[in-house]
Amino acid sequence: MEEFFKIKQRGSSVRTEVIGGLTTFLAMAYIVAVNPAILADAGIPFEAALTATCFGAAVATIAMGIFANRPIALASGMGINAVVAYGMCGSLGIDWRVAMAVVMLEGVVILGLVLGGLRKAVMDAIPLDLRQAIGIGIGLLITFIGLKGAGLIVADDSTYIALGSLTDPTAIVAIVALASAVILTFMQVPGALLISIIVAVVVGLPLGVTPVPTSWSLGLDFSAFAAPFQEVDGTMAIVQVILQPALWLFVFSLLMSDFFDTLGTAVAIAKEGDFIDENGDVKDIKAILTVDSTAAIVGGFFGASSITCFLESASGVAAGARTGFSNLIVGLLFIVCAFLSPLFGMVTGAATCGALVVVGFLIMSEVGSINWHTPEVAFPAFLIIVGIPFTYSITNGIGLGFIAYVLLMVARRQAREVKPLMWVAAAAFLCMFLFV
């Protein structure tokens, strides 16, 4: 095991990897309840969506651990599942099996880009300052997700967002989680983030915040599997997508989101996990991107929506995970969760708030590495940093920064220094903003 995963070589231990895996899983366990609920609105039976979600996440996460040996967990992507449920299936009335065929084809296209070297080439074409900005923006997004999910910040009609009620039981649990995570982290207690989650779950029981399981469902429903190859109105779902050019617009839209979300997520987690090389490149990036692209295919095939790298993996990395062994823990827990989802449903957004905010803080420390005295990279970096959390989208934030970078380089008569793929990426983002 040591020879395969290089646990000691990376300064970790089996115990630390297990704790990191548990922390990552608990931080992203919400997907087990949330994704099936969203996909149910698309017409997928809830039990089938839950089975697909758990097994899809398990297969993809374990594959990342084995083939890339990096502590990056995967599951059905929030945002893409909403596009499937409320965009394709809801507004347009597309059958959910056809929508899953769109997801699977998007995965096939993006895998082809990875194997052809284009996806990594685009990453290499991004200036170092912009890559650093992507990680920082994601750190702010992680913090925002943690605070919003715990009710510490809420929507407001006049100020858009505001401080939530700190006397609300959910907020009290979140404050306990945050205080525990901060204090234990700075005291360098092993497993600090995991301990903070467990403490918050326990504190939430008497306050009525932690849900207590009322029933146990041990059955599995595999009816969503092979969704793209199921018949819809007498024609195989994937054939319908191939024959309808209008549906390829959704393939392009999902591809843009998947393409840049994963790049951004990989950079952020790599910074936290110290697998960035001296040139600012993510180590093993081709293996990471290959698994991620294949996971999109798996997600469509299983009927779980597109499966992608999860930001919450940074919480496990912050807890000490450095190898793919932690992914085996996450994957096994997802399989268990398919049978015992009510138990893991006890972990609320309030309980994971502390872990996510601390991760955001740790990532934010990189802000000083950006060259703020060079406007052609400083302003695009600023747009990325604020654009990601303010638009609640990694893709949108990156797109704003890329377009601004190209425009500023042209304005300052440095267009020749812009790499060709940055021109292509900026143009693609412009098309996405205008037409998708």
Side-chain angles (χ1 to χ4, degrees), residues 134-420:
I134 292 170
I136 295 164
I138 289 174
L140 290 177
L141 178 60
I142 290 174
T143 301
F144 186 77
I145 290 171
L147 295 173
K148 179 177 178 293
L152 291 179
I153 55 175
V154 295
D156 186 272
D157 290 336
S158 57
T159 61
Y160 301 111
I161 61 172
L163 183 67
S165 172
L166 299 185
T167 58
D168 185 85
T170 300
I172 293 173
V173 172
I175 292 170
V176 170
L178 181 56
S180 301
V182 171
I183 293 171
L184 294 174
T185 296
F186 295 133
M187 289 178 64
Q188 298 184 333
V189 175
L193 300 184
L194 175 59
I195 294 172
S196 75
I197 294 172
I198 295 172
V199 168
V201 168
V202 173
V203 169
L205 286 169
L207 293 176
V209 175
T210 300
V212 179
T214 57
S215 63
W216 298 91
S217 176
L218 302 180
L220 300 176
D221 184 347
F222 293 98
S223 61
F225 279 43
F229 300 99
Q230 296 181 21
E231 286 195 0
V232 178
D233 298 328
T235 306
M236 194 178 297
I238 196 167
V239 174
Q240 291 195 26
V241 176
I242 294 172
L243 296 178
Q244 296 184 55
L247 291 177
W248 283 89
L249 183 64
F250 285 102
V251 173
F252 173 74
S253 177
L254 296 184
L255 184 145
M256 287 291 289
S257 178
D258 210 356
F259 194 104
F260 289 98
D261 272 25
T262 300
L263 289 180
T265 300
V267 169
I269 296 172
K271 284 182 177 294
E272 183 65 29
D274 195 27
F275 52 99
I276 294 276
D277 64 22
E278 60 276 5
N279 298 317
D281 298 325
V282 178
K283 297 177 182 178
D284 302 314
I285 187 61
K286 186 166 185 178
I288 292 170
L289 296 179
T290 300
V291 174
D292 178 83
S293 303
T294 306
I297 300 174
V298 171
F301 181 82
F302 280 16
S305 185
S306 183
I307 296 173
T308 187
C309 296
F310 251 58
L311 283 174
E312 286 80 353
S313 303
S315 62
V317 173
R322 292 293 180 271
T323 76
F325 184 78
S326 66
N327 281 35
L328 303 188
I329 305 301
V330 178
L332 290 174
L333 286 172
F334 268 117
I335 293 174
V336 172
C337 207
F339 298 93
L340 304 176
S341 57
L343 178 62
F344 296 103
M346 295 175 69
V347 180
T348 63
T352 60
C353 171
L356 296 180
V357 171
V358 168
V359 169
F361 163 76
L362 295 173
I363 294 174
M364 190 68 187
S365 63
E366 295 289 330
V367 72
S369 60
I370 293 176
N371 183 5
W372 294 108
H373 302 291
T374 306
E376 58 267 27
V377 293
F379 185 72
F382 168 74
L383 280 184
I384 291 173
I385 291 171
V386 298
I388 289 175
F390 287 176
T391 65
Y392 212 75
S393 167
I394 298 172
T395 301
N396 289 340
I398 293 175
L400 293 172
F402 280 18
I403 293 171
Y405 170 73
V406 170
L407 291 177
L408 281 173
M409 291 295 282
V410 171
R412 292 175 67 84
R413 299 180 181 179
Q414 299 179 45
R416 291 183 178 180
E417 296 181 25
V418 179
K419 295 185 178 181

Side-chain angles (χ1 to χ4, degrees), residues 50-130:
L50 189 147
T51 300
T53 298
C54 291
F55 278 88
V59 169
T61 299
I62 291 172
M64 182 68 78
I66 292 174
F67 294 108
N69 194 23
R70 294 298 177 184
I72 303 176
L74 300 90
S76 300
M78 292 294 293
I80 292 181
N81 55 7
V83 171
V84 169
Y86 306 118
M88 286 189 273
C89 300
S91 300
L92 299 180
I94 296 171
D95 187 272
W96 66 269
R97 286 157 289 212
V98 176
M100 290 303 160
V102 170
V103 170
M104 194 177 84
L105 281 176
E106 176 266 326
V108 171
V109 173
I110 207 166
L111 178 60
L113 295 178
V114 170
L115 296 179
L118 180 60
R119 202 173 182 185
K120 183 179 182 299
V122 169
M123 191 167 189
D124 292 340
I126 303 171
L128 179 59
D129 292 278
L130 300 193

